[in-house]
Structures are given as C-alpha cells and as structure tokens.
Amino acid sequence: MRLSQFFLPILKETPREAEIVSHRLMLRAGMIRQQSAGIFSWLPLGLRVLEKVNAIVREEQNRAGAIEILMPTIQSADLWRESGRYDDYGREMLRITDRHKRDMLFGPTNEEMVTDIFRGYVRSYKDLPLNLYHIQWKFRDEVRPRFGVMRSREFLMKDAYSFDLDHEGARAAYNRMFVAYLRTFSRLGLSAIPMRADTGPIGGDLSHEFIILAETGESEVFCHRDYLEMSVPEADTDFRDDKQIAEIVERWTTPYAATDEMHDEAVWDGISDDKRLAARGIEVGHIFHFGTKYSEAMNATVTGPDGKEHPVSMGSYGIGPSRLVAAIIEAFHDENGIVWPEAIAPFAVGVINMKPGDSACDAACDKLYGALSAAGLEVLYDDTDQRAGAKFASLDLIGLPWQVIAGPRSVANGQVEIKNRSTGERETLSIDDALNRLITDR
C-alpha cells in the first residue's frame, strides 16, 4: 500500500480526553475515531490490526474444536425473560422497542440466543459435545466508559458456548477452551496468567480470567512468580485427548493466582516473599462453566444413553478482540509510539522514500516494494513528500516491525538502511541483502 493512497489521519497533538497510553496512541496513530462516549469507528490502520487479532482467535478456536456461527446484535427480550435475566441484568443492557412495540435489546452477551439455537436442532447425546462461537459486536451501557476501546460501550467479542451431556463433559470442554486461550494470547505476544475469578452476571461455579500484567491495569492481582517462566502448549497439542488437556490445565492452575475479588490472604501469606507477585493487570479473556443454569430455564435437553431427557451442561468463553488491541499496545510501546508484535502488525515493513521524484530513489523503492510484496509481506510505502523527520516520526508512531530507508546517498552506493522497530538497531545493506534479510532471515 502506498501511503499517498492510504487513509492514515495521524494526529500531532495528544487528545486531552485520552487517559492511558493505548488510548493516546490509537488516536494519534489514526487507528480509531471516537463518535460518542464509548463508541468508536475503526479506521484502516486499526481495522487491519483488529482483523489480524480476529484471525488468530479464530484459528485457535477452530483448532480446539469450536464451530463458528454468526448471531445477530439485536435480540428479543422474550428469550431473556425466559432465562430470568431480562430484569436482573441491570441498566448496562440497552433496551429498545421496535415499530410493533415488541421489546428488544442490543445484546451484551449471547447465552440465551445460542441456547435457543441449540434446543431447536439438537435432540440426542450423540450430537455432543458441541461448541459454537461467533465474533460479533456487543453493547453494554457502561456508566462511565473510559480508556478508549479498553472500556467502551460498543465492543467486539468472541464468545463461545459449549454444550455437554454432563458435568464431566462440560469440564473437558472448559479445559479445551482454557488451553486454547493460553495459545491465543501467546501467539498475540502476550503472557497471560489464568486467575480464579468471580462469575458475575453470567453465573456458574467455575471461572477464570486471563490477565496480562501492566502498570495501567484496572485490577489488582496476586500470583506466584512461577507463571513468568511457564511454557505455553505447542501447536501439536491434541485437543481430542481429554487427559492431556486436563494435565495442562492442572499445571497452569496449581500455582497461586487470583484477582482481588477472589484473593485469599491466608494462602498468600503461605507463599515465600521471593515468589509472591502483587501487581496490576488487564483482563484479556474470561471463561465460565455454569452447568444447567440456562438449559433448565429454557428447556434445552437431550436424550441420554439411558433414554431419559437431560438438561445440557454449558459453559461460555469470551475474548474481546477490540479490547485486546489496546491491551497489546499497553504491553508494547515506547516513548516514540507503538511497537507491534509481528503477528498482528498492520504492515510488516515500512519503506521510506527520502526523496520522491528522484529517479534512483524511486527505482530502489519500487524494487523493494515489489519484491517484498511478491514475497507475501505487507508493505506500507511512504512515497509522500513530507520532510524526513515527519516520515520517521510517523513510522515510529504506528510501530511497524521493520523500516527500510532509501535516501539519495545510500541508493547511489546501491544500499539502503533497515531498522528494527523493537530494538532500534540500524544496519546498512545492499538492496539485495536487505531484501534477503527481511524475506528470509527475520
């Protein structure tokens, strides 16, 4: 993509309403635009990152055996009355009425709707286990939306829902999602710690929040330092092997880890001082097992091997991709801007033409742009006539992993400079060696 043809509305000044780093940088880098309190448009640069986060989330859900569907944002209030949650959920639910005076709502979550889908089609235990997920926009009317997309009213959510015959099957489904979450966050470049957590309005008797440690985190968290050294399951993990998956979950839940709401001072005091880590954290995922709470209320049953009807045992599993983008920025930034992990960077390489219109610079940059693109790398080519300082500042701000700088002097010698955004290291190479480094040796 040529920058001259791209929509990248970079701001020179930091907006006054931005309270945390991710909000400031997302606004300045032209990733989002606030439309009203807690509601944002995602601009091209931000959308590219969001879609890459979605892709990794989707791949790991599919790997774990979940099946993607798509449910609507607007739901009938009748389903929520059936479950008993319509009046209990609170003012965060946006209640609306259609032209026929029917009560509707903008969904804050989808337990009721997915249970209705399930009961409409599944009759036998032979069709279980089943896990359905979607990636869809949600709305919760936060009393005080703040921190940009970190706590917004409209947000993108991956929510999955498992259905099993009994508690044993439901626990196996919970474990699969637990391991899928470990892999998802690791692929996004994050070290997420699973912590026992309150179930809140979702309900149930088992819940874990996945927390990344960050000074700007909203929650106070407590964990064993062993978590900082634990290795995440590899891609060849067999999600069909319930025993193997359960062993991974046991290993990741044995050291102490809890959010402030679930913190046990007595247990904490028994951990040696050098192994205790009290910090602030950001929630990036939340999983729940709630048994038959919804299936009993909504008559979602299957015929078991005994010939009797059984209410299915359920769980739900959420990741907020839009919130994740902000969390990743909180974890990866410096004084100059964002420092994207390569897996989700909006572009892999930024090519900077220091003198557009100069035939040698243009030719060198065209060669770089064409060869890198042909190799499958996403390239943002700055072919604008901005001054050099502005070009460098913009590329540092948006945080692309690699920069290639082509100026008249270096190009005359058949060379360009490459810069690693994460380390700041610079190296002057021939054009062919620079291409080889970026395509082969990264």
Side-chain angles (χ1 to χ4, degrees):
M1 175 62 67
R2 292 176 179 268
L3 184 55
S4 61
Q5 299 171 351
F6 192 56
F7 181 51
L8 185 63
I10 285 177
L11 302 179
K12 293 182 180 179
E13 303 296 328
T14 299
R16 287 177 294 179
E17 71 271 18
E19 300 178 60
I20 62 172
V21 168
S22 59
H23 192 191
R24 292 198 295 270
L25 291 177
M26 290 182 79
L27 289 171
R28 285 198 57 219
M31 294 179 64
I32 57 172
R33 176 178 174 81
Q34 182 167 323
Q35 303 300 152
S36 61
I39 299 176
F40 296 86
S41 290
W42 286 76
L43 305 181
L45 193 78
L47 185 59
R48 291 179 71 91
V49 177
L50 186 62
E51 289 179 340
K52 292 191 174 187
V53 171
N54 287 343
I56 290 175
V57 169
R58 182 175 281 116
E59 287 170 9
E60 292 303 326
Q61 289 294 289
N62 296 344
R63 187 196 304 274
I67 302 167
E68 187 171 10
I69 62 175
L70 183 61
M71 292 177 276
T73 59
I74 304 299
Q75 304 182 28
S76 168
D78 291 342
L79 287 175
W80 285 67
R81 290 192 176 106
E82 192 175 348
S83 73
R85 283 208 300 173
Y86 184 71
D87 295 320
D88 294 341
Y89 198 87
R91 296 180 66 184
E92 287 77 19
M93 180 189 288
L94 181 62
R95 295 165 170 85
I96 55 181
T97 304
D98 69 12
R99 68 172 65 198
H100 301 292
K101 307 301 181 185
R102 290 180 294 227
D103 291 331
M104 310 291 285
L105 58 99
F106 194 133
T109 183
N110 279 72
E111 282 80 7
E112 284 80 2
M113 183 169 286
V114 77
T115 302
D116 181 56
I117 292 171
F118 176 88
R119 70 183 177 181
Y121 298 101
V122 182
R123 299 285 182 267
S124 170
Y125 76 97
K126 295 180 181 180
D127 296 319
L128 303 179
L130 182 64
N131 189 323
L132 302 175
Y133 80 96
H134 73 158
I135 300 175
Q136 179 61 289
W137 293 96
K138 302 284 191 292
F139 189 92
R140 295 176 190 170
D141 200 2
E142 292 273 359
V143 64
R144 191 187 174 199
R146 58 190 305 208
F147 303 150
V149 298
M150 188 73 78
R151 189 196 286 179
S152 55
R153 292 195 295 165
E154 186 179 52
F155 55 94
L156 191 62
M157 176 66 70
K158 186 287 301 180
D159 37 327
Y161 304 90
S162 63
F163 302 86
D164 288 272
L165 178 63
D166 52 27
H167 183 273
E168 182 181 0
R171 183 56 199 254
Y174 185 94
N175 289 346
R176 285 191 289 273
M177 286 292 99
F178 187 107
V179 175
Y181 275 38
L182 292 177
R183 284 195 43 76
T184 298
F185 298 127
S186 177
R187 288 186 60 191
L188 293 169
L190 300 172
S191 297
I193 300 172
M195 301 192 178
R196 285 294 298 268
D198 185 25
T199 57
I202 300 295
D205 58 3
L206 177 61
S207 174
H208 282 88
E209 286 183 12
F210 288 77
I211 302 288
I212 63 167
L213 304 181
E215 293 180 2
T216 53
E218 297 178 273
S219 306
E220 188 175 6
V221 296
F222 306 85
C223 67
H224 199 288
R225 287 189 180 274
D226 284 358
Y227 277 109
L228 303 181
E229 306 297 331
M230 293 178 71
S231 58
V232 169
E234 298 292 339
D236 61 357
T237 299
D238 186 357
F239 281 91
R240 297 168 299 179
D241 186 338
D242 289 348
K243 184 175 182 294
Q244 179 188 3
I245 297 299
E247 289 172 351
I248 295 171
V249 173
E250 183 178 6
R251 184 166 68 250
W252 276 84
T253 54
T254 296
Y256 184 82
T259 58
D260 188 41
E261 296 87 349
M262 302 294 286
H263 183 48
D264 187 328
E265 282 289 351
V267 177
W268 185 245
D269 289 342
I271 302 172
S272 61
D273 289 346
D274 64 319
K275 290 294 186 179
R276 291 192 295 189
L277 178 59
R280 302 202 68 80
I282 299 171
E283 177 194 337
V284 290
H286 204 160
I287 62 177
F288 306 83
H289 167 256
F290 43 70
T292 58
K293 174 179 177 178
Y294 297 94
S295 58
E296 287 184 345
M298 300 182 68
N299 195 32
T301 64
V302 294
T303 303
D306 56 3
K308 297 179 180 180
E309 291 296 309
H310 298 263
V312 289
S313 189
M314 297 174 57
S316 71
Y317 317 92
I319 290 177
S322 54
R323 178 184 175 90
L324 259 175
V325 174
I328 292 166
I329 293 172
E330 292 292 329
F332 297 101
H333 68 272
D334 60 20
E335 66 275 10
N336 296 317
I338 304 166
V339 184
W340 291 114
E342 289 201 25
I344 57 166
F347 297 92
V349 182
V351 173
I352 302 176
N353 188 335
M354 297 297 292
K355 193 174 182 181
D358 178 271
S359 59
C361 284
D362 289 349
C365 289
D366 286 344
K367 178 178 179 179
L368 288 161
Y369 183 43
L372 292 169
S373 299
L377 297 179
E378 294 172 306
V379 184
L380 183 64
Y381 171 20
D382 187 346
D383 58 343
T384 67
D385 59 0
Q386 294 186 84
R387 58 183 178 82
K391 287 175 179 275
F392 294 142
S394 294
L395 263 292
D396 280 349
L397 174 62
I398 66 175
L400 307 187
W402 293 91
Q403 298 174 18
V404 184
I405 302 120
R409 186 177 301 174
S410 59
V411 168
N413 295 320
Q415 297 176 320
V416 291
E417 185 177 38
I418 64 172
K419 173 185 173 182
N420 182 298
R421 177 67 180 87
S422 178
T423 65
E425 294 177 356
R426 294 171 177 262
E427 189 174 5
T428 299
L429 299 169
S430 71
I431 293 176
D432 287 338
D433 285 345
L435 287 170
N436 187 60
R437 174 69 57 84
L438 293 169
I439 295 171
T440 307
D441 298 340
R442 285 183 307 128

